[in-house]
Amino acid sequence: MASKTFLIALVVVSMVVAPAMATEHLVGDDEGWKLKFDYNKWAESKEFHVGDKLIFKYKEGVHNVYKADLSAFQNCAPGANVEPLTSGNDVIELKTTGKKWYFCGIKTHCDQGMKVAVNVLPEVGSPSTAPSSPPGSSASSGISPPKFVAVMVAAFAMFLITIA
């Protein structure tokens, strides 16, 4: 009976912790998806991982979002058979590692800098995201305070379950 309770608790805790590990990135932060914003600087200030989400907020009909490859991104030209996202509240889940490119295809918005490239790292907590800096260095470990709290709460809950 105790092992069944433990397994149920483990499932519940994992359901709480897994979503807490993903981050939602509002593209452009409070400014949103708009002209005259430095999206390169914005992206450089963030760390993106598999499972995170990019949220593009803008006034519907004024902008859009194209997912692109490098060539389409550099040329501000969508690839063949690529449809833009147009809701004004577009959410893109980052499902794979590597470089990802997005731009606005309205008029000359992309040429004016309305485009963003992000580098997606493995999921937080996967072995390949372990810090590569030596102990005592000032490099960030890649886990934000809310994620740390979620992990600590889960660990404490597991501890309580095992002693019950």
Side-chain angles (χ1 to χ4, degrees), residues 52-125:
D52 288 358
K53 294 178 181 177
L54 297 179
I55 302 171
F56 292 84
K57 285 196 174 272
Y58 54 92
K59 186 175 179 183
E60 188 177 355
V62 176
H63 301 297
N64 61 27
V65 180
Y66 276 98
K67 296 178 186 179
D69 60 19
L70 178 59
S71 176
F73 179 79
Q74 289 173 332
N75 296 312
C76 292
N81 301 320
V82 178
E83 294 293 322
L85 303 172
T86 60
S87 74
N89 188 32
D90 304 321
V91 179
I92 298 172
E93 183 176 352
L94 302 173
K95 295 181 179 179
T96 59
T97 59
K99 265 303 211 200
K100 310 294 177 206
W101 301 275
Y102 307 94
F103 69 89
C104 179
I106 302 290
K107 300 180 185 175
T108 60
H109 293 186
C110 179
D111 292 321
Q112 294 178 55
M114 199 169 172
K115 57 187 190 175
V116 62
V118 299
N119 186 38
V120 182
L121 303 170
E123 286 182 89
V124 173

Side-chain angles (χ1 to χ4, degrees), residues 20-32:
M21 299 303 284
T23 300
E24 291 184 346
H25 300 278
L26 179 58
V27 178
D29 293 327
D30 294 336
E31 300 288 325

